């Protein structure tokens, strides 16, 4: 059976972009068609300045939201990355396989390091090497497919290169994974800055719809979305990125086609109203299920414990084989 792996980083509250770009597909498609593992990749949250208590809180919230979105522990493995030590064991081996130049070419490293330096902050070494940890997340499970948004495609391509290089140098050890992207709304953009991704940690949050936003907050954010010059509703991501973003969100919520939907509107206002209502209805059951699960944290803890146990069982033999292949003595 095809094996897939993907994860969410607890650096902020999960957003509509996370849901439409990845999580909904995990719940509706991937867990039914494959041997699927989904992780809260908390170690990746340590690559920049952070509040330890906030990371713990957001990790639990992310895990709870994954379950609220429909991930079924009877069908897939849901776990927290740091609970499975195979990830860090394998990460170092892949650091020894990657080159400095490869890591420095990663777009996210360049962007985040530039922001840190601009504010007078030091750049942690883990920010440079974390693509090796991401590769370990994937390769530890002999993953076949990695469903990610297009902003993470570069990292998966690096993972593919490292797997091939390791296999060539030290013998066949890893499965070389392939990227899969959802067909619509792979990259939902910020409602106030439609040329930027709807990220979890933007300072203002005015253009970000969080999964746990109240209904009136969701409506207000969508209705205040930045549009474009002119009055015609057209799907043109280059010249009309604001309108295109709304059309992609509406299409993703209802399963339509952005270009065809554009023809049904003669004003930006009506497009915003329909998009706002579509988002509200999409998120309503997720918020309701989250409230139920948050009231029973013991259940979430048990799911994560069992998920980590299953993940360890899958990853340990792969990482042991990699340690042997690269030349390490087996543990006594």
């Amino acid at each position: 059976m095809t094996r897939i792996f993907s994860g969410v980083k607890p650096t902020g509250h999960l957003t509509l972009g996370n849901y439409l770009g990845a999580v909904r597909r995990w719940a509706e498609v991937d867990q039914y068609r494959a041997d699927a593992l989904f992780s809260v990749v908390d170690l990746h949250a340590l690559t920049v300045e952070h509040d330890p208590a906030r990371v713990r809180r957001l990790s639990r919230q992310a895990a709870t939201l994954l379950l609220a979105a429909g991930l079924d522990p009877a069908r897939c493995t849901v776990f927290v990355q740091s609970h499975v030590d195979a990830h860090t064991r394998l990460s170092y081996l892949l650091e020894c396989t990657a080159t400095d130049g490869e890591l420095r070419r990663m777009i996210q490293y360049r962007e985040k390091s530039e922001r840190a330096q601009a504010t007078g902050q030091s750049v942690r070494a883990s920010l440079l090497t974390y693509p090796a940890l991401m590769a370990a997340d994937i390769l530890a499970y002999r993953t076949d497919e990695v469903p990610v948004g297009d902003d993470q495609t570069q990292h998966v391509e690096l993972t593919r290169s490292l797997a091939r290089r390791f296999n060539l140098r030290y013998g066949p050890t890893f499965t070389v994974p392939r990227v899969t992207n959802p067909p619509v709304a792979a990259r939902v953009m910020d409602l106030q800055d439609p040329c930027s991704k709807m990220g979890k940690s933007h300072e203002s949050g005015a253009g970000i719809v969080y999964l746990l936003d109240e209904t009136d907050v969701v409506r207000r954010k969508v209705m205040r979305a930045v549009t474009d010059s002119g009055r015609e509703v057209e799907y043109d991501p280059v010249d009309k990125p604001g309108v295109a973003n709304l059309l992609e969100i509406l299409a993703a919520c209802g399963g339509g086609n952005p270009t065809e939907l554009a023809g049904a509107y003669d004003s930006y206002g009506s497009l915003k109203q329909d998009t706002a209502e579509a988002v509200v209805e999409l998120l309503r059951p997720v918020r309701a299920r989250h409230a139920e699960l948050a009231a029973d944290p013991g259940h979430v803890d048990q799911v994560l414990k069992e998920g980590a146990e299953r993940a360890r069982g899958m990853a340990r033999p792969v990482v042991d084989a990699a340690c042997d292949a690269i030349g390490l003595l087996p543990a006594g």
Side-chain angles (χ1 to χ4, degrees), residues 57-325:
R57 184 172 65 253
L58 290 176
S59 295
R60 174 177 291 280
Q61 183 187 90
T64 305
L65 277 168
L66 291 182
L67 299 177
L71 293 188
D72 181 356
R75 291 185 174 274
C76 64
T77 302
V78 181
F79 68 103
V80 175
Q81 177 194 34
S82 63
H83 295 175
V84 181
D85 62 4
H87 292 249
T88 50
R89 288 179 62 205
L90 182 55
S91 178
Y92 182 72
L93 303 190
L94 296 175
E95 286 181 27
C96 296
T97 307
T99 68
D100 176 76
E102 285 175 317
L103 298 178
R104 292 187 186 278
R105 283 195 294 271
M106 295 295 102
I107 294 172
Q108 290 199 11
Y109 169 73
R110 296 207 307 267
E111 292 177 347
K112 290 182 178 180
S113 61
E114 287 172 3
R115 285 200 298 269
Q117 291 170 347
T119 57
Q121 297 180 353
S122 59
V123 179
R124 299 186 180 191
S126 57
L127 185 62
L128 176 65
T129 60
Y130 100 90
L133 176 58
M134 181 175 174
D137 298 338
I138 297 164
L139 297 180
Y141 300 99
R142 294 205 167 107
T143 301
D144 298 298
E145 294 182 14
V146 188
V148 293
D150 59 2
D151 61 316
Q152 289 294 332
T153 299
Q154 185 187 36
H155 288 140
V156 183
E157 290 301 327
L158 175 63
T159 299
R160 289 166 52 83
S161 296
L162 296 180
R164 292 193 193 100
R165 187 177 307 153
F166 192 101
N167 290 346
L168 183 63
R169 289 178 179 175
Y170 307 115
T173 306
F174 300 122
T175 297
V176 179
R178 58 185 179 274
V179 177
T180 58
N181 296 119
V184 179
R187 196 175 194 194
V188 177
M189 312 307 280
D190 190 291
L191 295 173
Q192 290 298 313
D193 181 10
C195 293
S196 299
K197 186 185 73 166
M198 185 181 283
K200 294 191 293 291
S201 54
H202 193 280
E203 288 183 6
S204 73
I208 303 170
V209 175
Y210 297 105
L211 298 189
L212 296 180
D213 275 347
E214 296 292 337
T215 295
D216 60 336
V217 174
V218 173
R219 289 195 180 99
R220 183 167 63 250
K221 287 180 176 179
V222 177
M223 293 303 296
R224 292 178 178 175
V226 169
T227 48
D228 310 286
S229 60
R231 296 184 178 182
E232 293 184 356
V233 178
E234 299 174 330
Y235 181 64
D236 185 344
V238 175
D239 292 330
K240 290 197 169 187
V243 173
N245 189 37
L246 290 171
L247 287 167
E248 287 202 1
I249 292 172
L250 181 60
C253 288
N257 177 281
T259 302
E260 294 175 359
L261 286 171
Y265 295 94
D266 55 12
S267 72
Y268 293 164
S270 58
L271 171 61
K272 287 182 177 182
Q273 287 178 344
D274 283 0
T275 303
E277 291 308 312
V279 174
V280 166
E281 291 307 312
L282 180 75
L283 299 185
R284 192 185 303 279
V286 177
R287 292 178 58 236
R289 180 58 177 152
H290 175 270
E292 295 174 359
L293 291 166
D296 186 9
H299 171 69
V300 176
D301 288 342
Q302 187 62 29
V303 168
L304 296 177
K305 178 181 178 182
E306 294 174 359
E309 290 173 353
R310 289 199 298 272
R312 289 188 203 105
M314 286 184 270
R316 186 177 296 114
V318 179
V319 179
D320 286 347
C323 288
D324 180 68

Side-chain angles (χ1 to χ4, degrees), residues 324 328-332:
D324 180 68
L328 301 181
L329 285 173

